[in-house]
């Protein structure tokens, strides 16, 4: 019966039209995930095309400036296309090819997942269409052009709140229209089973590398791993390897927008309640009648009213901690990391940097913290300038 | 036999859909009465949802209009309660997504359905594998949980049909709800698969908008479901939609009555 549960969360709450597709995907994934040829091909692309392993960088200036824990940055921003998203996309499109699909579709918020999907679709010769909320095509116009340059067709979604959740709605609708030749490259650890598991597995390379790199550098595990959480794919990728290592604190940083007490936020664990949406049982920002709330964050990639089901379960079981970070704090961290380390983080990743700035000073100097720097911030520069009152448009 | 199945005792069944609260609940109540008077055998009342992923743009917009006019699940229950005084026996079904039911409280929701004699619930994002999410509450309160089959269901059809209750909702086409110029699926083959395991009444929905298509579909099945074509009239005429919908429902029922 019900599959893909993480505690009470997860499941496969999708229309009947899609059930054979998700079942076929599960079968194909189970067949290929342990297939030596598939693993070798995936690894070759990760290493030779994406540029893995990504660096684990000791942020010495930041460490000294904050005066507490030793801070390492996992440089997912250095991947080809500028974020962790490529890890999952390479795996899924490889799988889609094995399944005989000729066309891929995907949702995108900030555009990072859309760009990654368009990139790998170009590489592997797949037709590609991307769904992006109209509000996001406006605030991330450069990424729209980038996707088009890569040969993808970009649809601006004008329904609902015109952001990430509506892009997911529209991609799900398109998938029900045309499921036979089309694979939905879901970009986060969310949606119906088997997506949360598949995406987590393809992203778990992040945590595996962190562990190996830190063991080599420091001879031990970190005390804390921090990552930003929207749907939660970079966080799940960074956390997964460390779940059995109970000494490692896992901290997910949610987008609190204008503040958790202000309606304009997207902090699902802080403000959400149990629900069933986008194929999964999990926590969602919603009203007493189960109408999904119009969430807000300065970060298009974290502007999502739900959280992946495995995160919901890590929260329920207290294995991970989820903390809210406001727009203001994230923008400060964006500028801080740029000035302190010469690294411009994605505004999404800046949420994790912001929380690190809060807690690192109170941790002992013998402690080690790893921040997953999930993406680079080039795409955000104009928006941050406008946030600071400088009228720059791309 | 459940009251839902009795809707199929009056020739081929015509099952209209209306989004509750579009443009307001008073109009919805009048619409349902008009539909019953012009021959509807069962009425599907849509509880609007902010993110209806199985709907095309016509019903999406109806949901938006209904929610922005302040429609809530409780107010819909109140409307049905008042409707039941005038239409005590018309078979009724709620169509909505799992989240509004789950967040309202599945037990509380289905207890209200029983109280109001709502005979069935149709929840498109509850596939066969997840039906335990609702089935225990449906069974406790004597409400049918309607199963859906789709053109992609293939070998799943028999498994689903064997356990279906009330009637089996056959999705005619790929994609979301909405008016279509033609239906290409081999509906006959779908229904034959059903018949191998079950004698449950079947109703075809998605894309049916005129008497000709309704007749064609009703040759294969025991009834037809029409949503977007009616909701379009609601969008076009607003509060004045009752008479156009009354005429449309009569035309549709007349087209299939004697098949």
């Amino acid at each position: 019966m019900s599959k893909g549960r993480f505690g009470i969360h997860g499941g496969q709450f999708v229309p009947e039209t899609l059930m054979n597709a998700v079942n076929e995907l599960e079968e194909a994934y189970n067949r290929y995930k342990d297939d030596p040829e598939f693993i070798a091909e995936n690894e070759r692309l990760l290493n030779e095309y994406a540029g893995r392993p990504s660096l684990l960088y000791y942020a010495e200036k930041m460490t000294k400036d904050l005066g507490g824990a030793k801070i390492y940055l996992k440089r997912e921003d250095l991947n080809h296309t500028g974020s962790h998203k490529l890890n999952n996309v390479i795996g899924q499109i490889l799988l889609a090819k094995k399944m005989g699909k000729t066309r891929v579709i995907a949702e995108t918020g900030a555009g990072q997942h859309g760009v990654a999907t368009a990139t790998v679709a170009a590489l592997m010769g797949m037709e590609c269409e991307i769904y992006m909320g109209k509000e996001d095509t406006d605030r991330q116009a450069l990424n729209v052009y980038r996707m088009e340059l890569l040969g993808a067709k970009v649809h601006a979604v004008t329904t609902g709140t015109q952001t990430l959740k509506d892009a997911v709605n529209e991609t799900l609708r398109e998938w029900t229209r045309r499921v036979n030749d089309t694979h939905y490259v879901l970009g986060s650890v969310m949606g119906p089973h088997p997506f949360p598991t598949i995406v987590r597995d393809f992203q778990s390379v992040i945590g595996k590398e962190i562990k190996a790199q830190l063991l080599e550098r420091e001879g031990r595990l970190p005390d804390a791993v921090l990552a930003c959480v929207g749907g939660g794919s970079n966080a799940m990728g960074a956390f997964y390897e460390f779940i059995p290592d109970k000494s490692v604190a896992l901290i997910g940083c949610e987008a609190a927008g204008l503040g958790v007490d202000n309606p304009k936020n997207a902090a699902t664990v802080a403000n959400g309640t149990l629900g069933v949406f986008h194929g999964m049982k999990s926590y969602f920002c919603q009203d007493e009648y189960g109408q999904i709330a119009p969430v807000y964050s300065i970060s298009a990639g974290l502007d999502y009213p739900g959280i992946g089901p495995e995160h919901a379960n890590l929260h329920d079981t207290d294995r991970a901690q989820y903390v809210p970070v406001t727009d203001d704090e994230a923008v400060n961290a964006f500028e801080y990391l740029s000035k302190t380390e010469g690294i411009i983080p994605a505004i999404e990743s800046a949420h994790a940097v912001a929380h690190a700035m809060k807690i690192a000073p109170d941790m002992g100097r013998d402690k080690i913290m790893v921040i997953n720097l999930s993406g680079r911030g080039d795409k955000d520069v104009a928006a941050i300038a406008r946030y600071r009152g400088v009228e720059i448009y791309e | 036999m459940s009251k839902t199945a009795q809707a199929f005792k009056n020739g081929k069944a015509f099952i209209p859909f209306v989004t509750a609260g579009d443009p307001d609940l008073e109009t919805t109540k009048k619409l349902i009465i008009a539909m019953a008077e012009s021959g509807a055998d069962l009425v599907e009342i849509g509880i609007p949802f902010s993110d209806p992923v199985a709907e095309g743009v016509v019903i999406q917009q109806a949901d938006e209009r209904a929610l922005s006019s302040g429609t809530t699940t409780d107010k819909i229950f109140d409307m049905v309660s008042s409707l039941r005084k005038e239409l005590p026996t018309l078979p009724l079904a709620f169509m909505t997504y799992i989240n509004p039911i789950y967040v309202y409280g599945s037990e509380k929701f289905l207890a209200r359905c029983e109280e109001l004699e709502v005979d069935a619930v149709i929840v498109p994002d509850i596939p066969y594998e997840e039906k335990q999410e609702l089935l225990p509450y449906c069974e406790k309160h004597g409400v049918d949980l309607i199963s859906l089959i789709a053109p992609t269901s293939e070998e799943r059809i028999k498994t689903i049909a064997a356990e279906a209750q009330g009637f089996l909702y056959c999705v005619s086409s790929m994609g979301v709800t909405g008016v279509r110029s033609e239906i290409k699926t081999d509906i006959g083959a779908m229904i034959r698969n059903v018949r191998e395991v079950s004698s449950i009444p079947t109703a075809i929905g998605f894309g049916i908008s005129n008497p000709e298509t309704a007749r064609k579909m009703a040759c294969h099945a025991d009834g037809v479901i029409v949503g977007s074509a009616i909701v379009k009239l609601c969008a076009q005429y607003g509060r004045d939609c009752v008479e156009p919908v009354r005429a449309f429902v009569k035309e549709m029922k007349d087209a299939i009555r004697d098949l």
Side-chain angles (χ1 to χ4, degrees):
Chain A
M1 293 307 281
S2 181
K3 289 192 276 191
R5 294 285 179 150
F6 303 93
I8 63 164
H9 304 283
Q12 287 182 301
F13 297 90
V14 288
E16 172 59 23
T17 307
L18 293 178
M19 281 308 296
N20 259 333
V22 294
N23 287 340
E24 277 166 22
L25 180 62
E26 182 190 20
E27 276 168 37
Y29 182 62
N30 286 336
R31 184 160 68 246
Y32 287 109
K33 71 174 180 186
D34 301 318
D35 173 55
E37 214 174 292
F38 181 85
I39 294 171
E41 200 172 351
N42 190 43
E43 265 184 22
R44 185 186 65 79
L45 285 164
L46 286 176
N47 295 341
E48 295 174 15
Y49 189 69
R52 302 206 71 85
S54 70
L55 299 175
L56 185 71
Y57 166 73
Y58 170 43
E60 191 175 358
K61 261 184 88 190
M62 185 177 173
T63 299
K64 288 192 172 141
D65 182 56
L66 295 173
K70 199 168 179 184
I71 299 170
Y72 281 89
L73 304 176
K74 180 59 173 166
R75 299 290 309 275
E76 291 299 303
D77 60 316
L78 295 178
N79 283 334
H80 179 41
T81 77
S83 81
H84 73 291
K85 291 293 186 187
L86 202 66
N87 304 332
N88 165 49
V89 170
I90 286 174
Q92 277 200 48
I93 296 188
L94 213 49
L95 191 60
K97 270 215 108 117
K98 298 272 184 206
M99 293 173 72
K101 306 287 181 185
T102 54
R103 176 175 177 260
V104 290
I105 54 174
E107 86 294 344
T108 196
Q112 299 295 78
H113 178 58
V115 167
T117 304
T119 298
V120 180
L123 177 72
M124 299 199 193
M126 301 278 250
E127 202 184 321
C128 177
E129 295 188 32
I130 303 294
Y131 292 81
M132 186 170 183
K134 174 75 169 55
E135 189 171 312
D136 295 334
T137 57
D138 291 344
R139 58 181 166 177
Q140 299 285 355
L142 210 53
N143 266 343
V144 175
Y145 191 75
R146 197 167 280 139
M147 288 183 267
E148 288 167 352
L149 198 61
L150 291 159
K153 186 169 177 192
V154 180
H155 301 271
V157 176
T158 56
T159 54
T161 56
Q162 312 193 359
T163 60
L164 181 54
K165 90 171 159 75
D166 310 285
V168 174
N169 291 346
E170 218 40 59
T171 319
L172 280 169
R173 289 181 185 123
E174 173 58 20
W175 206 26
T176 64
R177 275 179 212 116
R178 195 170 154 186
V179 70
N180 289 336
D181 66 345
T182 300
H183 174 68
Y184 179 2
V185 185
L186 227 158
S188 193
V189 286
M190 47 155 290
H193 175 72
F195 284 108
T197 299
I198 290 182
V199 179
R200 176 252 279 155
D201 287 354
F202 286 140
Q203 291 294 0
S204 65
V205 64
I206 302 172
K208 285 180 193 149
E209 284 179 9
I210 293 174
K211 190 180 249 185
Q213 289 166 323
L214 202 65
L215 279 173
E216 199 185 309
R217 297 277 282 276
E218 300 277 354
R220 70 176 188 89
L221 297 175
D223 297 289
V225 177
L226 278 74
C228 63
V229 180
S233 70
N234 90 80
M236 207 59 236
F239 293 174
Y240 190 59
E241 180 69 16
F242 295 105
I243 290 175
D245 304 314
K246 296 282 156 53
S247 67
V248 183
L250 306 174
I251 305 173
C253 305
E254 299 192 303
L258 303 186
V260 283
D261 301 325
N262 188 301
K264 298 196 87 171
N265 78 82
T268 308
V269 173
N271 284 333
T273 52
L274 269 176
V276 184
F277 180 50
H278 280 165
M280 60 185 171
K281 185 178 280 185
S282 188
Y283 292 105
F284 297 95
C285 297
Q286 55 187 339
D287 73 9
E288 60 184 305
Y289 290 106
Q291 306 296 345
I292 302 301
V295 292
Y296 163 81
S297 163
I298 187 172
S299 143
L302 304 182
D303 199 354
Y304 181 70
I307 186 168
E310 195 164 7
H311 282 296
N313 190 49
L314 290 177
H315 168 71
D316 285 359
T317 56
D318 281 328
R319 179 60 193 97
Q321 188 195 349
Y322 295 85
V323 297
V325 174
T326 64
D327 281 3
D328 258 339
E329 293 167 333
V331 171
N332 285 337
F334 179 92
E335 293 168 340
Y336 176 84
L337 196 68
S338 304
K339 293 202 166 74
T340 311
E341 293 288 348
I343 296 170
I344 304 176
I347 189 64
E348 287 78 17
S349 323
H351 284 70
V353 176
H355 190 68
M357 289 163 66
K358 281 187 221 169
I359 64 170
D362 296 329
M363 292 170 74
R365 290 189 188 175
D366 57 334
K367 301 291 184 193
I368 297 173
M369 161 197 290
V370 178
I371 307 169
N372 194 31
L373 212 65
S374 56
R376 67 174 182 229
D378 311 43
K379 67 181 178 58
D380 300 308
V381 171
I384 301 300
R386 292 198 294 276
Y387 189 83
R388 290 300 190 209
V390 184
E391 291 297 311
I392 294 175
Y393 290 88
E394 291 158 342
Chain B
M1 182 188 291
S2 73
K3 217 169 102 214
T4 321
Q6 285 171 29
F8 294 83
K9 291 289 141 196
N10 179 30
K12 300 280 183 176
F14 183 70
I15 304 173
F17 166 92
V18 59
T19 301
D22 169 31
D24 56 46
L25 284 167
E26 204 180 312
T27 308
T28 304
K29 185 182 159 192
K30 288 184 200 156
L31 264 178
I32 296 170
I33 293 168
M35 287 168 166
E37 287 169 353
S38 50
D41 296 287
L42 183 157
V43 174
E44 254 188 53
I45 303 172
I47 298 177
F49 180 45
S50 53
D51 296 83
V53 293
E55 312 297 347
V57 70
V58 171
I59 295 177
Q60 285 173 43
Q61 288 173 352
D63 282 12
E64 278 177 25
R65 287 192 298 272
L67 290 172
S68 63
S69 80
T71 307
T72 65
T73 309
D74 278 319
K75 289 179 186 169
I76 294 169
F77 285 140
D78 291 344
M79 182 274 291
V80 174
S81 169
S82 132
L83 178 75
R84 270 297 179 220
K85 293 188 184 104
E86 298 178 49
L87 288 175
T89 59
L90 177 75
L92 290 176
F94 277 133
M95 200 245 95
T96 191
Y97 289 78
I98 179 62
N99 202 49
I101 298 175
Y102 180 79
V103 173
Y104 190 86
S106 302
E107 162 61 27
K108 193 174 143 202
F109 184 96
L110 284 143
R112 286 290 273 154
C113 290
E114 182 180 18
E115 216 178 285
L116 298 168
E117 296 180 66
V118 171
D119 308 289
V121 290
I122 304 167
V123 191
D125 54 352
I126 289 283
Y128 177 81
E129 282 78 352
E130 296 293 352
K131 68 179 181 176
Q132 286 308 319
E133 191 67 46
L134 281 184
L135 196 60
Y137 307 103
C138 289
E139 284 176 343
K140 180 176 167 196
H141 294 288
V143 177
D144 289 329
L145 177 61
I146 302 301
S147 298
L148 291 92
I149 57 171
T152 50
S153 296
E154 296 168 2
E155 74 283 3
R156 296 168 53 82
I157 290 180
K158 287 178 190 169
T159 316
I160 296 168
E163 294 178 28
Q165 320 173 324
F167 70 92
L168 189 66
Y169 191 131
C170 307
V171 175
S172 76
S173 312
M174 299 295 290
V176 292
T177 57
V179 172
R180 285 172 172 76
S181 52
E182 60 171 335
I183 291 168
K184 294 173 188 157
T185 307
D186 185 352
I187 305 285
M190 270 172 91
I191 306 284
R192 281 194 296 280
N193 267 325
V194 173
R195 285 290 162 258
E196 281 181 39
V197 294
S198 171
S199 58
I200 191 164
T202 53
I204 302 177
F206 281 42
I208 302 170
S209 60
N210 56 52
E212 298 73 54
T213 320
R215 269 187 85 85
K216 217 184 270 177
M217 291 297 120
C219 290
H220 297 294
D222 305 304
V224 297
I225 302 166
V226 173
S228 295
I230 290 168
V231 172
K232 261 186 159 172
L233 293 172
C234 299
Q236 188 183 344
Y237 294 100
R239 288 186 180 81
D240 301 323
C241 64
V242 177
E243 291 316 310
V245 170
R246 181 197 300 276
F248 177 75
V249 170
K250 184 171 186 306
E251 191 189 4
M252 295 294 274
K253 176 67 187 179
D254 287 347
I256 62 172
R257 191 186 305 270
D258 300 322
L259 286 174

